[in-house]
Amino acid sequence: MKLEFRSVLARFLVYAVLSVGAVAMAFPFYWMLATSLKSPQEAQQTQPIWIPERLKPANWMAAARLGAQGGSALWGGYEAGRTVTLRIYTGVQGQKPRVSIPTALGAFSDPRAEGSLIRIRYAEGYWEISFTNASSESFRLLPVVVLLSKEYVGYRPELPPDAVRSSGDAWRLEWVNVAPGALGYIFHNYREAWSAAPFGRYFFNSFFTAGTQVLVGLLLAAMTAFALARIDFPGKGVVWLLILATLMIPGEVLLIPNYILLSRLGWINTYYALIVPWLASVFGIFLLRQFYLSLPNDLFDAARIDGASYWTQLVRLALPLSVPGLVTYGIFTFLGAYNALLWPLIVTDKPEMYTIQRGLQVFIGEAGSDYGALMAASTFSILPIVLGYFFAQKQFVQGIARSGIK
């Protein structure tokens, strides 16, 4: 009985430790997702906000109603001729709020601010603010600023503002879009992040450079590893030791020499700069050489007796038998190339050559960082990798297990 109790207790402790570890590992991912749904003020607050306002279902109905008035209950908007009405519940009638539509930063004029009719009236317990688009243009967003006197002890806008600041004797309530629609309200940062930069181009650059590194790198590593494992030539041991010695050199040491070389070749801001320096991998050569050494010698002896050349032995025997090693090396190479930041940051300064990780830098400027948009962009930058892992996790786990990498 005591042994059974101890076994159950030990199993419970193991599960408890594993559960705590899983939660700790998943927490940064949750925080990234939560921040991607926060308003700018929520994302910059020092006090942690675990559930953003945009994740609360009570706000979704108000966002859908305001969005339907502007154009779409799902994605909102501010179409020509439409009227959007916002309510602020104050309970009593006091000083009339002051309302404006802010002009976009750097813009000389804004047709939303100049072509909108704003009406303010007090109804039973709330201020009703109406915006009528009298222009001939339709807009995706309707930013609004309301200055509400501090004489109001309590107030409640039907749609929570994205920022609340103190402005003299009034509270400054700010909305980045007062007609968002239900989905436009929840995924506001995702829409803004996608429209802020050409992420389609960034994705193409990342997949093209990573895919080329995988294909060409596999070919070079397989040929080199086969020669070192299965072909006898003078100085093979010295060559192998020199290749292994390069593993001891930190990659950061090679950044400046590589940059100077590529600069003199005129390859800065080209795909050559992103791809060529990383085609040869000592890790790949080492991994595949160990695979080829573990294959039976009889196979290659029989092939030589039948007249097979080294190239035939590589293509017909070695490569089919080393698929787990090739898959493992390909996965690690692709992940390393896709997630690379430092090297693309050095050799590219034109937006059309940015990779996806390099493109995330557009949300970090001297004036500060837009953390909500940055986390939204980070989320859809890792989405292809996460989906790829879920679809190919069996091959990924088997490849690593068979290759002996822990």
Side-chain angles (χ1 to χ4, degrees):
M1 189 66 180
K2 287 185 176 179
L3 289 176
E4 184 178 355
F5 175 75
R6 290 180 179 177
S7 175
V8 172
L9 180 61
R11 186 176 301 177
F12 173 78
L13 291 176
V14 169
Y15 286 156
V17 171
L18 291 176
S19 299
V20 171
V23 171
M25 293 295 293
F27 178 76
F29 188 64
Y30 166 77
W31 192 253
M32 182 181 71
L33 291 178
T35 305
S36 70
L37 299 173
K38 292 177 180 176
S39 66
Q41 193 175 50
E42 286 179 327
Q44 293 180 353
Q45 282 188 358
T46 55
Q47 183 179 1
I49 295 178
W50 304 106
I51 302 177
E53 289 290 338
R54 288 173 180 161
L55 272 183
K56 296 179 179 177
N59 299 326
W60 298 347
M61 291 300 294
R65 188 185 69 80
L66 292 166
Q69 293 177 354
S72 169
L74 292 180
W75 294 105
Y78 190 43
E79 296 181 356
R82 294 280 190 140
T83 298
V84 178
T85 302
L86 173 70
R87 295 171 182 168
I88 301 178
Y89 296 91
T90 57
V92 295
Q93 183 176 9
Q95 190 173 348
K96 186 178 180 181
R98 290 167 286 170
V99 182
S100 63
I101 298 177
T103 302
L105 291 175
F108 181 74
S109 64
D110 192 328
R112 284 173 300 196
E114 299 166 1
S116 294
L117 301 177
I118 301 176
R119 290 187 293 271
I120 306 171
R121 75 179 186 90
Y122 185 79
E124 297 180 355
Y126 59 86
W127 285 100
E128 188 175 82
I129 306 170
S130 299
F131 305 88
T132 300
N133 187 356
S135 70
S136 58
E137 298 183 50
S138 297
F139 307 97
R140 190 166 56 86
L141 305 177
L142 176 58
V144 170
V145 173
V146 175
L147 295 177
L148 189 67
S149 173
K150 289 183 179 178
E151 70 181 11
Y152 292 106
V153 178
Y155 63 90
R156 182 179 62 82
E158 64 172 326
L159 186 68
D162 297 303
V164 179
R165 313 177 198 279
S166 177
S167 178
D169 58 349
W171 295 111
R172 179 184 172 92
L173 313 181
E174 301 176 5
W175 287 265
V176 294
N177 185 15
V178 83
L183 296 180
Y185 178 65
I186 299 171
F187 299 108
H188 172 81
N189 288 329
Y190 288 85
R191 293 178 70 187
E192 295 309 301
W194 187 263
S195 60
F199 276 95
R201 177 75 183 188
Y202 298 165
F203 273 115
F204 171 79
N205 290 340
S206 291
F207 279 106
F208 179 72
T209 56
T212 306
Q213 286 185 35
V214 170
L215 294 177
V216 181
L218 278 175
L219 180 63
L220 295 177
M223 290 192 300
T224 307
F226 183 79
L228 293 171
R230 290 296 171 182
I231 301 176
D232 291 326
F233 59 88
K236 186 172 78 171
V238 176
V239 173
W240 175 235
L241 288 177
L242 289 175
I243 291 176
L244 280 182
T246 60
L247 278 175
M248 314 302 170
I249 303 175
E252 289 76 8
V253 175
L254 302 176
L255 292 178
I256 295 177
N258 283 341
Y259 178 82
I260 294 175
L261 175 61
L262 296 180
S263 178
R264 291 180 177 177
L265 290 173
W267 285 2
I268 302 301
N269 283 314
T270 65
Y271 288 115
Y272 298 121
L274 293 170
I275 296 172
V276 173
W278 310 106
L279 290 180
S281 168
V282 179
F283 168 72
I285 296 171
F286 176 81
L287 180 68
L288 294 178
R289 177 181 177 273
Q290 300 310 112
F291 259 92
Y292 296 151
L293 287 176
S294 66
L295 298 177
N297 291 327
D298 295 343
L299 285 174
F300 298 94
D301 292 340
R304 278 195 292 271
I305 293 173
D306 291 340
S309 63
Y310 287 128
W311 179 256
T312 302
Q313 294 176 43
L314 171 64
V315 175
R316 303 289 293 274
L317 292 177
L319 288 181
L321 293 174
S322 61
V323 169
L326 295 173
V327 171
T328 303
Y329 172 60
I331 290 173
F332 277 100
T333 302
F334 184 87
L335 292 178
Y338 185 85
N339 293 321
L341 172 63
L342 183 58
W343 184 247
L345 194 64
I346 293 174
V347 298
T348 59
D349 58 11
K350 293 183 178 178
E352 59 268 24
M353 292 305 302
Y354 285 179
T355 59
I356 187 69
Q357 306 300 337
R358 175 73 170 90
L360 296 180
Q361 299 295 310
V362 301
F363 299 103
I364 302 174
E366 295 180 357
S369 302
D370 186 350
Y371 291 111
L374 177 61
M375 293 299 107
S378 300
T379 300
F380 59 64
S381 72
I382 68 171
L383 198 57
I385 301 299
V386 174
L387 293 177
Y389 175 76
F390 278 115
F391 282 113
Q393 58 177 320
K394 183 178 179 181
Q395 289 76 12
F396 182 80
V397 174
Q398 287 181 350
I400 293 179
R402 290 176 184 172
S403 67
I405 297 176
K406 305 297 183 185

